[in-house]
Amino acid sequence: QVPLKPGRSLMDWIRLTKSGKDLTGLKGRLIEVTEDELAKHNKKEDCWICIRGFVYNVTPYMEYHPGGEDELMKAAGTDGTDLFDQVHRWVNYESMLKGCLVGRMAFKPIAAPKVQFLLFTFSLLSSVVGLLYPFCCSKTSFILIVFSKLLALGLPLENRVNNVFVCYDWFQTDGLITIVIYTKQKDMNAELVIADCQDKRLRGEIILDDHSYLLEVDLEHAVQEDFAVNIAEKVGKVEIILKKRDNIHWKVLGQPLESHNTFIRRVDRGLFYRKCKLVSKAEVTHDTKLFCLMLPKNTHLQVPIGQHVYLKQVIAGTEVVKPYTPLLPFLPLDFKELSCHDGAHIYLMIKIYSCGLFTQALDHLQIGDYISVSNPEGNFKKSQVQTSEELFLLAAGTGFTPMVKLLNFALTEVSCLRTVKLIFFNKKEDDVLWRNQLEQLALKDERFEVQFVLSEPTKNWVGKQGKISLSLLSECVKRSRKDSKVLICICGPTPFTEQGVEYLKDLGYSQEEMHAFIA
Ligand code: FAD
Ligand code: NAP
């Protein structure tokens, strides 16, 4: 992020795009762009970029780009899709840059791998059949049987990545449709399955490390509004059970949608959003609120520890997306208190900035309004905590949000942890989130300690004061034993996190002993 000139905020950009000004220089005409033509527009004062086959004239956007002009120039005159996906694939560029659309890249014929693959498989099978068919009724019927089996399983050979093999099948009874996805992964769990069924559209995504398998169909008939997702963890089998609305026999499951039955890298899978209802909004501090969103009935989504979701709102006619980290509605003191884990609600603690574009719009949502929530993302792995003996959490402001589920998990499920210490940086006393709950937890659980550090304390403050620094960290983050297995998690404004990581390195902690939460 770079400081933008006054009058160059996202809202200013949205205003400019709505002003009717010709932003492409083509007076609304859309053209076909060749690679040679694209390459000519590679200067700050004339800059075109291609993203996913569409070409944008980003010259007028230069001064509004939050990452700065130089970042944008890295893709000038070229296909910037990979760069864009690395930095912020969640940003809704189609909506933000629609006024800058120049046209599509000119079509370049490419080989169609699926057809080739089918032909190859077909010819391979034909040769096998050539050897076996004396034992079968007819060569054609043998090929058809083998092919129909492959198709029923969703062309499984294509869905093999790194020796992980995913396929699906479905069957029905009078009242139910059961779809079974076989992953053969031993550690399958509910967080790795994201399923949505709205109207007649079914989408089931299975996360397998950094890959994603997707089942996506337009169902043949309507279903009721309460589906079930069952997971056989040990064998990696996932069942999605739909209730038929009418008691009729289905001939097919439905029509496959574009990405149906694909197994690809997670980063290449588009973000999927569903509309969630705002059911409550409660004050946490003078500027921070706890929002409770209810997932639609036919949605199965559990946000894993340390991961965030994206919220999407239409602001002044433009879709705007921002990341937020779901947490628990409170810090459980008694671990039987976890009725909040009903799977139907998502809790978000959000600071409302007085000049914030997104948070102001969020604050204006009324109970009962809807907002789009994406699938989770993030690279934190629970296993990092499971092997630790001492956990340090360094949080600044709302950087506290990922620490909540993490803290709860550490204290309830990690038996080898001897100590958990939260060092919580804020400006003033009344900015501290859940201070009372944190102090209560520290009284209740002797493994947990909390230390508040204020950068703008009043003179009555007797606790620690200052900013994150080498001396402060050397004092607060210490191994209790020389060979202790330590994990240090850090989250806050980007410069806070980056400085923290540098200080920790200076103090001798290795990269493996740290996790920095950054988008
Ligand atoms: P903008 O319109 O972008 O900015 C307006 C003004 O607000 C800025 O000039 C600045 O003064 C202030 N401001 C805006 N953003 C920030 C910022 N990030 N840090 C400091 N000052 C800022 N926020 C939460 O409240 N809760 C969360 O759980 C949460 N989770 C996040 C998870 C990730 C992975 C990331 C990257 C960010 C997270 N954020 C969270 C921050 C959030 O995404 C937005 O940046 C924030 O809500 C401000 O959006 P805005 O559009 O209202 O502000
Ligand atoms: P804030 O109130 O502005 O600041 C909280 C504390 O951090 C204060 O003590 C402040 O001290 C210190 N701080 C701020 N900027 C600093 C810097 N550049 N260097 C060192 N210390 C600094 O914080 P906030 O408004 O709640 O912002 C929280 C941040 O966390 C946001 O940027 C948000 O994007 C981020 N966040 C990230 C994630 C994630 O997963 N990546 C999740 C949630 C939140 P000073 O008095 O010096 O400012």
Side-chain angles (χ1 to χ4, degrees):
Q1 296 251 331
V2 297
L4 299 172
K5 286 185 199 157
R8 295 292 180 271
S9 71
L10 179 53
M11 195 62 218
D12 297 313
W13 172 250
I14 292 174
R15 276 196 209 105
L16 177 65
T17 59
K18 307 281 166 212
S19 66
K21 196 172 168 199
D22 177 13
L23 297 176
T24 59
L26 295 169
K27 301 198 172 69
R29 236 177 356 115
L30 292 179
I31 58 168
E32 263 208 354
V33 184
T34 60
E35 274 181 24
D36 290 346
E37 182 63 33
L38 176 64
K40 286 183 202 158
H41 302 269
N42 61 352
K43 294 163 225 59
K44 262 190 193 161
E45 56 286 0
D46 175 19
C47 180
W48 291 11
I49 291 176
C50 169
I51 308 177
R52 284 185 239 294
F54 290 92
V55 179
Y56 298 91
N57 181 348
V58 295
T59 324
Y61 184 61
M62 282 286 165
E63 293 191 343
Y64 297 81
H65 183 232
E69 299 185 6
D70 293 345
E71 276 302 305
L72 210 52
M73 282 306 292
K74 283 185 186 162
T78 66
D79 186 337
T81 311
D82 285 347
L83 198 63
F84 176 83
D85 283 348
Q86 274 166 31
V87 184
H88 37 215
R89 74 186 188 99
W90 46 277
V91 170
N92 200 338
Y93 67 92
E94 290 109 318
S95 182
M96 298 260 292
L97 295 178
K98 63 178 175 242
C100 301
L101 184 64
V102 168
R104 265 183 185 273
M105 281 304 283
F107 177 70
K108 215 168 69 181
I110 46 158
K114 280 201 175 175
V115 175
Q116 282 184 346
F117 170 82
L118 274 175
L119 288 175
F120 169 72
T121 317
F122 199 89
S123 66
L124 196 75
L125 272 174
S126 301
S127 335
V128 174
V129 168
L131 296 174
L132 294 181
Y133 103 102
F135 307 103
C136 302
C137 40
S138 86
K139 185 170 171 174
T140 336
S141 64
F142 181 77
I143 295 178
L144 283 176
I145 291 165
V146 177
F147 254 85
S148 62
K149 218 56 213 164
L150 275 176
L151 286 168
L153 289 173
L155 288 177
L157 288 174
E158 267 195 309
N159 286 331
R160 186 187 286 278
V161 175
N162 300 337
N163 271 336
V164 179
F165 167 73
V166 189
C167 60
Y168 80 96
D169 205 352
W170 70 282
F171 57 88
Q172 61 187 308
T173 60
D174 285 350
L176 302 176
I177 295 286
T178 302
I179 298 143
V180 193
I181 303 166
Y182 303 92
T183 71
K184 297 214 171 118
Q185 293 300 292
K186 282 194 201 105
D187 39 11
M188 177 53 53
N189 67 60
E191 289 176 350
L192 302 174
V193 181
I194 305 160
D196 291 88
C197 187
Q198 259 81 56
D199 302 321
K200 278 168 63 195
R201 186 176 166 162
L202 174 70
R203 186 185 187 282
E205 184 173 351
I206 316 276
I207 308 296
L208 297 162
D209 289 327
D210 49 0
H211 279 73
S212 137
Y213 173 79
L214 186 68
L215 180 136
E216 197 178 26
V217 282
D218 233 338
L219 295 170
E220 196 187 25
H221 298 287
V223 292
Q224 296 180 33
E225 266 209 330
D226 57 339
F227 72 178
V229 174
N230 295 336
I231 296 155
E233 302 201 352
K234 293 210 172 88
V235 290
K237 190 174 87 173
V238 177
E239 282 181 349
I240 303 175
I241 303 169
L242 308 170
K243 283 191 190 154
K244 291 180 182 175
R245 203 173 66 190
D246 305 305
N247 198 339
I248 43 175
H249 185 80
W250 291 26
K251 290 201 182 76
V252 288
L253 180 61
Q255 289 306 312
L257 294 169
E258 199 189 338
S259 304
H260 174 60
N261 199 29
T262 51
F263 188 27
I264 58 173
R265 290 184 320 153
R266 265 183 100 176
V267 290
D268 296 330
R269 180 86 69 209
L271 274 179
F272 180 77
Y273 289 86
R274 74 278 301 143
K275 287 217 156 86
C276 296
K277 194 186 202 172
L278 176 64
V279 290
S280 70
K281 191 164 63 164
E283 277 193 8
V284 178
T285 64
H286 61 104
D287 61 5
T288 302
K289 293 186 178 167
L290 185 70
F291 291 79
C292 174
L293 302 174
M294 190 166 73
L295 290 164
K297 277 219 173 99
N298 270 354
T299 290
H300 171 95
L301 167 68
Q302 292 183 9
V303 182
I305 294 171
Q307 296 202 10
H308 50 270
V309 293
Y310 297 96
L311 299 188
K312 183 166 78 178
Q313 301 183 87
V314 177
I315 302 176
T318 297
E319 279 186 353
V320 184
V321 174
K322 293 266 161 129
Y324 294 95
T325 313
L327 36 58
L328 306 172
F330 53 86
L331 273 177
L333 290 177
D334 172 351
F335 300 119
K336 290 180 208 98
E337 271 183 88
L338 284 174
S339 57
C340 48
H341 274 318
D342 59 1
H345 296 95
I346 288 187
Y347 295 90
L348 297 164
M349 193 186 271
I350 298 181
K351 175 162 166 178
I352 313 295
Y353 293 94
S354 57
C355 53
L357 178 69
F358 200 86
T359 50
Q360 281 298 322
L362 261 183
D363 200 27
H364 283 91
L365 287 181
Q366 302 296 314
I367 304 301
D369 284 351
Y370 285 83
I371 182 160
S372 296
V373 179
S374 80
N375 286 1
E377 275 205 347
N379 56 8
F380 182 79
K381 295 208 163 51
K382 272 201 303 211
S383 55
Q384 293 170 263
V385 193
Q386 275 159 331
T387 50
S388 304
E389 293 163 311
E390 296 181 49
L391 176 65
F392 293 93
L393 307 173
L394 310 181
T398 55
F400 170 61
T401 50
M403 308 305 180
V404 173
K405 282 189 182 179
L406 184 49
L407 190 55
N408 184 58
F409 172 71
L411 292 176
T412 51
E413 288 182 46
V414 186
S415 51
C416 55
L417 262 174
R418 290 194 309 271
T419 58
V420 181
K421 182 169 177 181
L422 170 71
I423 303 144
F424 195 1
F425 297 79
N426 284 282
K427 287 187 193 299
K428 301 188 166 79
E429 225 171 323
D430 63 2
D431 293 333
V432 181
L433 304 164
W434 283 357
R435 178 176 177 181
N436 193 18
Q437 293 196 45
L438 286 164
E439 285 172 341
Q440 294 243 358
L441 185 61
L443 285 176
K444 178 93 204 309
D445 193 321
E446 58 184 21
R447 290 169 302 165
F448 177 60
E449 184 189 342
V450 58
Q451 188 154 37
F452 300 107
V453 184
L454 299 185
S455 51
E456 294 173 19
T458 58
K459 55 179 183 318
N460 302 329
W461 177 249
V462 290
K464 276 225 156 311
Q465 36 182 297
K467 279 172 176 280
I468 192 160
S469 66
L470 191 65
S471 64
L472 191 139
L473 292 187
S474 69
E475 197 185 311
C476 302
V477 181
K478 272 193 205 136
R479 282 178 217 272
S480 64
R481 293 182 201 158
K482 219 169 130 210
D483 58 348
S484 278
K485 282 196 164 183
V486 169
L487 178 69
I488 310 165
C489 297
I490 177 160
C491 187
T494 308
F496 166 93
T497 307
E498 287 173 353
Q499 282 169 31
V501 166
E502 287 310 311
Y503 295 140
L504 291 169
K505 278 192 208 155
D506 292 347
L507 290 171
Y509 293 99
S510 68
Q511 206 72 52
E512 292 67 47
E513 291 176 313
M514 295 179 220
H515 180 88
F517 289 94
I518 12 185

